[in-house]
Amino acid sequence: MGRKKIIVTGGAGYIGSHTVVELVAHGYDPIIVDNYSNSFPEVIDWLEELIGFRPINHNLDCCDYDSLKKVFSDNSDIAGVIHFAAYKAVGESMEKPIAYYQNNVNSLLVILNLMEEFNVKHLVFSSSCTVYGTPDNGIQVAENSELKPPASPYGHTKIICEEIIQNVCGNDKIKASLLRYFNPIGAHRSGKIGELPIGKPNNLVPFITQTAIGIREKLTIFGNTYNTPDGTNIRDYIHVSDLANAHIKALDYIGNKQNEKCSIFNIGTGNGNSVKEVVDAFEKATEMKLNYQIGEKRAGDVEAIYANAQKSNSILGWTAERTLEESLLSAWKWQLNLKAIDFKLD
Ligand code: UDP
């Protein structure tokens, strides 16, 4: 039997590229679809170095039914789709809500249409812990926790997409797994692929590594008066390669006939770390001093959220393996690599 073909939308992106590496390592044949709206074509070269061959890749927008149809019709035996491609910036979604609904919901509908048309049955969808909104303080969220009203159009698109997929799975043509990611950080252990934020990073870890390397003058910790042990926000930081591996497990899970038609899994470590703890861990792991200050709270930040990962652990057979230190060291290695190859992000 040949290698199973998996369409990976957003395969040049941060989580997508790491998943491509894991797919190849597990005997799959990824077909990357990406329009490079928030990623770089160079990622395909770096993937080639890592996996030893040039991955098949198509530069197209997943909302473009005709172009995507060609990918499906040119490959008669697609085993599944992993749908990463989406707009993902919370703040930007407040400014451009229509673009977020248009892109994130339309691309899913195009994919579902094509899956049905070409009899492709298995879908893994990138969801987010943002669907839990603001949980009650100190509560680890589980898959059956209440979904609170979304704080942003971005979060709302994830809820809408989850609901669409859940309804569609009822028709017996499609089986899906909805993976609710917590906070992915770090980079492939080789340092050859990683996160590539365009412009000033919104996320904590790229901001830390850019500060450490001198691209940013200092990190601002957004508030230290939250109701947490050290006053800073708590999140569940998960190594991106662990997160990538969850997609392999999800494909296995969907492939087993007995399993539920639409499964939902939290993909997190199950541990919460504060912003201050992340900064301290980075300083300790790299033996560097980070320039930082305490600033105002950031609008819309949830005080504390981390995963109950028991369902993923027991049902999916997946567990996060890498530590916070390992994750931060890999992010640093990636930042150093970007400097070594003189890759400019803006
Ligand atoms: N954060 C911070 N300074 C920054 C970026 C982020 O203090 O420059 C904090 C932010 O307030 C949050 C945590 O780091 O508590 C994680 O933020 P990020 O944007 O990475 O992920 P989010 O959980 O908001 O999706």
Side-chain angles (χ1 to χ4, degrees):
M1 221 176 74
R3 293 164 77 93
K4 284 187 183 161
K5 289 183 188 169
I6 304 290
I7 292 182
V8 186
T9 75
Y14 176 40
I15 305 173
S17 58
H18 289 80
T19 303
V20 165
V21 173
E22 298 306 327
L23 282 168
V24 171
H26 287 84
Y28 288 95
D29 201 358
I31 299 173
I32 297 172
V33 170
D34 204 301
N35 67 352
Y36 306 105
S37 64
N38 192 26
S39 61
F40 294 83
E42 287 86 343
V43 172
I44 304 297
D45 302 331
W46 303 335
L47 280 172
E48 181 176 358
E49 280 179 48
L50 262 180
I51 62 181
F53 63 92
R54 194 158 185 83
I56 298 169
N57 62 97
H58 300 279
N59 180 352
L60 63 88
D61 186 333
C62 292
C63 295
D64 177 351
Y65 173 87
D66 292 329
S67 302
L68 194 57
K69 182 172 181 173
K70 201 162 167 350
V71 178
F72 278 79
S73 59
D74 286 350
N75 295 280
S76 57
D77 49 350
I78 292 166
V81 177
I82 306 181
H83 182 38
F84 292 105
Y87 292 161
K88 62 168 189 177
V90 171
E92 187 186 56
S93 80
M94 309 275 205
E95 288 154 31
K96 304 179 189 170
I98 299 170
Y100 270 68
Y101 288 112
Q102 170 106 25
N103 187 56
N104 292 4
V105 181
N106 266 358
S107 59
L108 174 67
L109 291 174
V110 166
I111 286 162
L112 289 171
N113 266 302
L114 287 169
M115 287 179 68
E116 197 170 285
E117 205 174 326
F118 289 89
N119 203 21
V120 176
K121 294 186 181 319
H122 297 172
L123 173 68
V124 180
F125 177 71
S126 298
S127 190
S128 164
C129 65
T130 187
V131 299
Y132 297 114
T134 305
D136 301 331
N137 188 29
I139 305 276
Q140 268 184 305
V141 284
E143 291 79 352
N144 56 5
S145 296
E146 187 190 346
L147 303 191
K148 299 281 178 67
S152 70
Y154 161 73
H156 196 199
T157 68
K158 291 296 173 191
I159 292 183
I160 293 171
C161 288
E162 281 200 359
E163 286 177 349
I164 291 172
I165 295 168
Q166 282 172 306
N167 290 339
V168 167
C169 284
N171 73 3
D172 280 333
K173 290 185 183 153
I174 290 175
K175 274 182 92 176
S177 208
L178 313 177
L179 303 186
R180 292 180 178 160
Y181 309 151
F182 283 70
N183 286 57
I185 60 166
H188 188 264
R189 63 180 182 280
S190 65
K192 284 192 189 297
I193 55 170
E195 195 168 2
L196 286 167
I198 298 173
K200 197 168 158 185
N202 289 311
N203 294 113
L204 177 63
V205 171
F207 211 105
I208 288 176
T209 58
Q210 288 195 7
T211 304
I213 212 153
I215 299 172
R216 310 281 156 201
E217 194 209 328
K218 67 168 79 146
L219 169 77
T220 300
I221 293 181
F222 297 138
N224 67 350
T225 57
Y226 286 98
N227 186 20
T228 60
D230 66 20
T232 65
N233 288 146
I234 289 175
R235 296 287 181 274
D236 186 329
Y237 295 95
I238 171 160
H239 192 292
V240 66
S241 294
D242 282 336
L243 183 63
N245 268 317
H247 297 77
I248 312 297
K249 295 284 189 186
L251 287 173
D252 291 347
Y253 182 86
I254 300 171
N256 185 333
K257 282 201 172 52
Q258 280 132 33
N259 290 338
E260 42 180 340
K261 286 183 205 162
C262 188
S263 47
I264 304 179
F265 295 104
N266 277 347
I267 307 299
T269 64
N271 298 315
N273 284 106
S274 73
V275 178
K276 184 69 172 54
E277 282 172 342
V278 174
V279 169
D280 290 346
F282 180 83
E283 291 191 325
K284 187 161 174 256
T286 60
E287 297 179 348
M288 292 171 72
K289 192 83 205 81
L290 194 73
N291 192 16
Y292 70 89
Q293 64 184 11
I294 307 293
E296 296 290 304
K297 288 181 177 174
R298 182 170 69 175
D301 266 342
V302 169
E303 183 163 85
I305 182 167
Y306 58 106
N308 175 330
Q310 278 169 13
K311 187 178 175 204
S312 303
N313 298 163
S314 59
I315 311 264
L316 203 54
W318 169 90
T319 316
E321 285 168 2
R322 296 158 179 91
T323 62
L324 179 63
E325 285 69 23
E326 255 176 289
S327 304
L328 293 169
L329 274 178
S330 67
W332 180 233
K333 184 171 181 180
W334 164 238
Q335 190 70 61
L336 289 171
N337 177 57
L338 283 178
K339 186 175 185 177
I341 64 173
D342 197 24
F343 190 79
K344 296 273 187 297
L345 283 163
D346 50 1

